[in-house]
Amino acid sequence: MNADRIYDAWKRQKQTVNTSAGFTETVMDQVQRYEQQKRPSSPRVHQFLVRIYSHTLTKAALVAICALLGVLRLVVVAVAVLN
Amino acid sequence: MTAETRIITRVLAGDVDCFRHLVERYQMPIIGMISNIVADTHMCQDLAQDVFLTAYKKLSSFDPARSDFSTWLFAIARNKSINALKKKRPISSPEFPEKPDLHQPYTTLAEKEFFVQLDRALADLPPKQKAAFVLAEFENLTYQQIAQVEGVRIGTVRSRISRAKQNLRSALKDLAGGDA
């Protein structure tokens, strides 16, 4: 019996792969579970953030409030320095 | 930008379901590699799932400038397989039939005996030698790619594979009575 022929036949057999039908789904379930664990924020906080990000006016208002707070801080610091 | 890099970019941007494409594309070579290293079909599926989950978790650390995605994935699979082998070794032996099926025709029977012997010789290889051999012979990776997967020089890969082949050759000769 030829050793090379046997070796090649064995190699072909070892290259044959059996995968279970639901392999991809099992992996994707694990990935989704991992993602859920990664985000522990409460649904209310999540809803609030989504609401803010989805409205242009809300976003503009937030930016305006932050700018106003910045200006107020500057004024407070300036007054403190002058006194 | 390759199709794979595009998929990875999308996954990292939050499109989790896009990771499915990578699982579908690489499940066969990864399962094949793991099953040839650990020689345990039950453990193999669990390990392969773990490889993809780890890849997902560490996806942001993948650098396309340093290696191909496949090489990076094989490196994860190789490390997990070797760790599993180290844990498993003293407890159980690989799943090979003790005797070939006697209902097979003569030539197939003889061939099966050789296969069992080769499987045993493969299982008995040291883990690092076995991983290098499996990647080269069954997954058809180049020595350069194997060196990247294993984090060693090409010379080391070459010597590991050469020693593995010598071991297998002698196992085949033993069974053939020296005329193989």
Side-chain angles (χ1 to χ4, degrees):
Chain A
M1 196 174 275
N2 185 295
D4 287 339
R5 198 186 61 76
I6 294 166
Y7 181 78
D8 288 339
W10 177 70
K11 201 169 133 176
R12 275 197 302 278
Q13 189 213 49
K14 301 299 279 181
Q15 284 171 330
T16 314
V17 180
N18 298 313
T19 55
S20 62
F23 183 83
T24 307
E25 291 314 313
T26 313
V27 172
M28 290 312 292
D29 283 350
Q30 289 177 354
V31 165
Q32 296 289 358
R33 224 173 298 143
Y34 169 73
E35 277 298 321
Q36 279 168 5
Q37 283 170 359
K38 224 172 67 174
R39 293 189 203 127
S41 64
S42 71
R44 271 188 196 173
V45 173
H46 185 70
Q47 273 177 357
F48 175 71
L49 289 172
V50 167
R51 209 170 286 170
I52 288 173
Y53 282 117
S54 58
H55 288 88
T56 321
L57 271 177
T58 326
K59 273 194 275 188
L62 265 176
V63 170
I65 290 168
C66 289
L68 199 66
L69 282 172
V71 171
L72 271 173
R73 191 169 172 267
L74 273 176
V75 170
V76 169
V77 170
V79 168
V81 168
L82 289 174
N83 288 337
Chain B
M1 195 187 253
T2 63
E4 252 159 36
T5 323
R6 263 197 296 275
I7 293 173
I8 292 165
T9 310
R10 281 180 63 182
V11 175
L12 289 174
D15 187 354
V16 177
D17 203 56
C18 220
F19 188 70
R20 175 185 301 276
H21 299 298
L22 296 175
V23 180
E24 278 164 0
R25 188 176 298 179
Y26 288 107
Q27 60 175 287
M28 296 278 260
I30 291 297
I31 292 174
M33 177 206 172
I34 295 172
S35 69
N36 283 321
I37 294 177
V38 300
D40 181 329
T41 43
H42 305 294
M43 192 194 257
C44 163
Q45 295 285 330
D46 292 345
L47 268 177
Q49 285 166 14
D50 196 26
V51 166
F52 283 104
L53 188 61
T54 305
Y56 178 81
K57 288 177 183 173
K58 292 185 173 175
L59 203 58
S60 58
S61 70
F62 166 67
D63 181 2
R66 286 181 64 190
S67 70
D68 291 337
F69 178 74
S70 60
T71 312
W72 184 74
L73 198 61
F74 272 125
I76 297 174
R78 180 253 183 202
N79 293 339
K80 284 197 182 289
S81 305
I82 288 183
N83 287 341
L85 263 188
K86 282 178 188 165
K87 282 182 198 163
K88 177 189 164 201
R89 234 171 196 205
I91 307 161
S92 61
S93 59
E95 300 175 333
F96 304 129
E98 279 304 310
K99 282 178 183 170
D101 184 0
L102 295 172
H103 301 289
Q104 297 287 327
Y106 175 75
T107 46
T108 319
L109 182 69
E111 202 172 74
K112 269 206 156 184
E113 247 178 85
F114 279 110
F115 285 5
V116 171
Q117 191 71 14
L118 282 168
D119 282 344
R120 283 215 178 97
L122 179 67
D124 287 341
L125 291 177
K128 286 177 183 173
Q129 244 181 63
K130 194 198 294 185
F133 176 82
V134 164
L135 287 169
E137 289 293 291
F138 305 146
E139 302 306 326
N140 299 319
L141 262 66
T142 63
Y143 283 12
Q144 174 73 49
Q145 287 170 317
I146 299 170
Q148 273 190 324
V149 168
E150 309 217 321
V152 294
R153 285 183 297 180
I154 292 186
T156 313
V157 170
R158 196 170 286 132
S159 92
R160 280 178 188 170
I161 294 171
S162 155
R163 270 180 280 146
K165 280 183 177 173
Q166 264 174 13
N167 287 331
L168 291 177
R169 209 171 289 135
S170 66
L172 207 56
K173 270 183 188 167
D174 289 346
L175 196 70
D179 50 78

Short mmCIF file of all heavy atoms in Angstrom, two decimals, chain B residues 109-131:
data_model
loop_
_atom_site.label_atom_id
_atom_site.label_comp_id
_atom_site.label_asym_id
_atom_site.label_seq_id
_atom_site.Cartn_x
_atom_site.Cartn_y
_atom_site.Cartn_z
N LEU B 109 -10.62 -1.33 4.99
CA LEU B 109 -10.28 -1.72 6.36
C LEU B 109 -8.81 -1.40 6.66
O LEU B 109 -8.49 -0.78 7.68
CB LEU B 109 -10.55 -3.21 6.56
CG LEU B 109 -10.30 -3.78 7.94
CD1 LEU B 109 -11.31 -3.24 8.92
CD2 LEU B 109 -10.38 -5.29 7.89
N ALA B 110 -7.94 -1.80 5.74
CA ALA B 110 -6.51 -1.55 5.93
C ALA B 110 -6.26 -0.05 5.98
O ALA B 110 -5.49 0.44 6.81
CB ALA B 110 -5.74 -2.17 4.78
N GLU B 111 -6.94 0.67 5.08
CA GLU B 111 -6.77 2.12 5.02
C GLU B 111 -7.22 2.74 6.34
O GLU B 111 -6.57 3.62 6.88
CB GLU B 111 -7.61 2.67 3.87
CG GLU B 111 -7.15 4.02 3.37
CD GLU B 111 -7.88 4.42 2.12
OE1 GLU B 111 -9.07 4.80 2.22
OE2 GLU B 111 -7.28 4.34 1.04
N LYS B 112 -8.35 2.23 6.86
CA LYS B 112 -8.88 2.75 8.12
C LYS B 112 -7.88 2.55 9.25
O LYS B 112 -7.74 3.41 10.12
CB LYS B 112 -10.20 2.07 8.46
CG LYS B 112 -11.40 2.80 7.92
CD LYS B 112 -12.62 2.52 8.74
CE LYS B 112 -13.62 3.64 8.60
NZ LYS B 112 -14.77 3.45 9.46
N GLU B 113 -7.22 1.41 9.22
CA GLU B 113 -6.22 1.14 10.26
C GLU B 113 -5.10 2.18 10.21
O GLU B 113 -4.65 2.66 11.24
CB GLU B 113 -5.63 -0.25 10.04
CG GLU B 113 -5.98 -1.22 11.14
CD GLU B 113 -5.42 -2.59 10.88
OE1 GLU B 113 -4.25 -2.82 11.23
OE2 GLU B 113 -6.15 -3.40 10.28
N PHE B 114 -4.69 2.51 8.99
CA PHE B 114 -3.66 3.55 8.82
C PHE B 114 -4.17 4.89 9.35
O PHE B 114 -3.45 5.62 10.00
CB PHE B 114 -3.29 3.71 7.34
CG PHE B 114 -2.31 2.67 6.86
CD1 PHE B 114 -2.71 1.69 5.98
CD2 PHE B 114 -0.99 2.70 7.29
CE1 PHE B 114 -1.80 0.74 5.53
CE2 PHE B 114 -0.08 1.75 6.84
CZ PHE B 114 -0.49 0.77 5.96
N PHE B 115 -5.46 5.18 9.03
CA PHE B 115 -6.05 6.46 9.47
C PHE B 115 -6.05 6.55 11.00
O PHE B 115 -5.70 7.58 11.56
CB PHE B 115 -7.48 6.61 8.95
CG PHE B 115 -7.59 6.94 7.49
CD1 PHE B 115 -6.46 6.97 6.68
CD2 PHE B 115 -8.82 7.20 6.92
CE1 PHE B 115 -6.57 7.26 5.32
CE2 PHE B 115 -8.94 7.50 5.57
CZ PHE B 115 -7.81 7.52 4.77
N VAL B 116 -6.45 5.46 11.64
CA VAL B 116 -6.51 5.44 13.11
C VAL B 116 -5.11 5.67 13.67
O VAL B 116 -4.91 6.44 14.61
CB VAL B 116 -7.11 4.11 13.62
CG1 VAL B 116 -6.95 4.00 15.14
CG2 VAL B 116 -8.58 4.02 13.25
N GLN B 117 -4.13 5.00 13.03
CA GLN B 117 -2.74 5.13 13.49
C GLN B 117 -2.26 6.57 13.31
O GLN B 117 -1.62 7.13 14.20
CB GLN B 117 -1.86 4.16 12.68
CG GLN B 117 -0.47 3.99 13.22
CD GLN B 117 -0.45 3.22 14.54
OE1 GLN B 117 -1.45 2.59 14.91
NE2 GLN B 117 0.66 3.27 15.24
N LEU B 118 -2.60 7.16 12.16
CA LEU B 118 -2.20 8.55 11.91
C LEU B 118 -2.89 9.52 12.88
O LEU B 118 -2.27 10.46 13.37
CB LEU B 118 -2.52 8.95 10.46
CG LEU B 118 -1.54 8.43 9.40
CD1 LEU B 118 -2.11 8.62 8.00
CD2 LEU B 118 -0.20 9.16 9.50
N ASP B 119 -4.18 9.23 13.15
CA ASP B 119 -4.92 10.06 14.12
C ASP B 119 -4.24 10.01 15.48
O ASP B 119 -4.12 11.03 16.17
CB ASP B 119 -6.37 9.58 14.25
CG ASP B 119 -7.24 10.04 13.10
OD1 ASP B 119 -6.82 10.97 12.37
OD2 ASP B 119 -8.33 9.48 12.91
N ARG B 120 -3.82 8.81 15.87
CA ARG B 120 -3.16 8.65 17.17
C ARG B 120 -1.83 9.42 17.18
O ARG B 120 -1.52 10.10 18.16
CB ARG B 120 -2.88 7.17 17.45
CG ARG B 120 -4.11 6.44 17.87
CD ARG B 120 -3.79 5.36 18.91
NE ARG B 120 -5.04 4.72 19.30
CZ ARG B 120 -5.47 3.58 18.78
NH1 ARG B 120 -4.73 2.94 17.90
NH2 ARG B 120 -6.63 3.08 19.15
N ALA B 121 -1.08 9.27 16.09
CA ALA B 121 0.22 9.95 16.01
C ALA B 121 0.02 11.47 16.07
O ALA B 121 0.78 12.18 16.74
CB ALA B 121 0.94 9.56 14.73
N LEU B 122 -1.04 11.95 15.40
CA LEU B 122 -1.35 13.38 15.43
C LEU B 122 -1.71 13.83 16.85
O LEU B 122 -1.24 14.86 17.33
CB LEU B 122 -2.50 13.70 14.46
CG LEU B 122 -2.97 15.15 14.37
CD1 LEU B 122 -1.89 16.04 13.76
CD2 LEU B 122 -4.23 15.27 13.53
N ALA B 123 -2.55 13.02 17.51
CA ALA B 123 -2.97 13.37 18.87
C ALA B 123 -1.79 13.38 19.84
O ALA B 123 -1.79 14.14 20.81
CB ALA B 123 -4.03 12.38 19.35
N ASP B 124 -0.79 12.53 19.57
CA ASP B 124 0.36 12.45 20.47
C ASP B 124 1.41 13.54 20.26
O ASP B 124 2.35 13.66 21.03
CB ASP B 124 1.04 11.07 20.32
CG ASP B 124 0.20 9.98 20.97
OD1 ASP B 124 -0.66 10.33 21.80
OD2 ASP B 124 0.38 8.80 20.62
N LEU B 125 1.24 14.31 19.19
CA LEU B 125 2.22 15.39 18.93
C LEU B 125 2.15 16.44 20.04
O LEU B 125 1.07 16.69 20.58
CB LEU B 125 1.92 16.08 17.60
CG LEU B 125 2.16 15.31 16.31
CD1 LEU B 125 1.73 16.18 15.12
CD2 LEU B 125 3.62 14.92 16.15
N PRO B 126 3.27 17.07 20.38
CA PRO B 126 3.21 18.19 21.33
C PRO B 126 2.29 19.28 20.77
O PRO B 126 2.28 19.50 19.55
CB PRO B 126 4.66 18.68 21.38
CG PRO B 126 5.48 17.57 20.87
CD PRO B 126 4.64 16.80 19.90
N PRO B 127 1.52 19.97 21.63
CA PRO B 127 0.50 20.93 21.16
C PRO B 127 0.99 21.95 20.13
O PRO B 127 0.31 22.19 19.14
CB PRO B 127 0.05 21.63 22.45
CG PRO B 127 0.31 20.63 23.52
CD PRO B 127 1.50 19.85 23.10
N LYS B 128 2.16 22.53 20.34
CA LYS B 128 2.63 23.57 19.41
C LYS B 128 2.97 22.99 18.05
O LYS B 128 2.72 23.60 17.01
CB LYS B 128 3.83 24.31 20.00
CG LYS B 128 3.42 25.25 21.12
CD LYS B 128 4.60 25.92 21.76
CE LYS B 128 4.13 26.79 22.92
NZ LYS B 128 5.24 27.34 23.68
N GLN B 129 3.56 21.80 18.07
CA GLN B 129 3.89 21.10 16.81
C GLN B 129 2.60 20.77 16.06
O GLN B 129 2.49 20.95 14.86
CB GLN B 129 4.59 19.79 17.16
CG GLN B 129 6.02 19.69 16.68
CD GLN B 129 6.61 18.35 17.04
OE1 GLN B 129 6.15 17.30 16.59
NE2 GLN B 129 7.63 18.38 17.87
N LYS B 130 1.63 20.29 16.84
CA LYS B 130 0.36 19.88 16.23
C LYS B 130 -0.35 21.07 15.60
O LYS B 130 -0.84 20.99 14.46
CB LYS B 130 -0.53 19.26 17.32
CG LYS B 130 -1.70 18.50 16.74
CD LYS B 130 -2.77 18.27 17.76
CE LYS B 130 -2.32 17.35 18.87
NZ LYS B 130 -3.42 17.04 19.79
N ALA B 131 -0.38 22.20 16.33
CA ALA B 131 -1.08 23.38 15.81
C ALA B 131 -0.43 23.85 14.50
O ALA B 131 -1.13 24.13 13.52
CB ALA B 131 -1.05 24.49 16.84
#
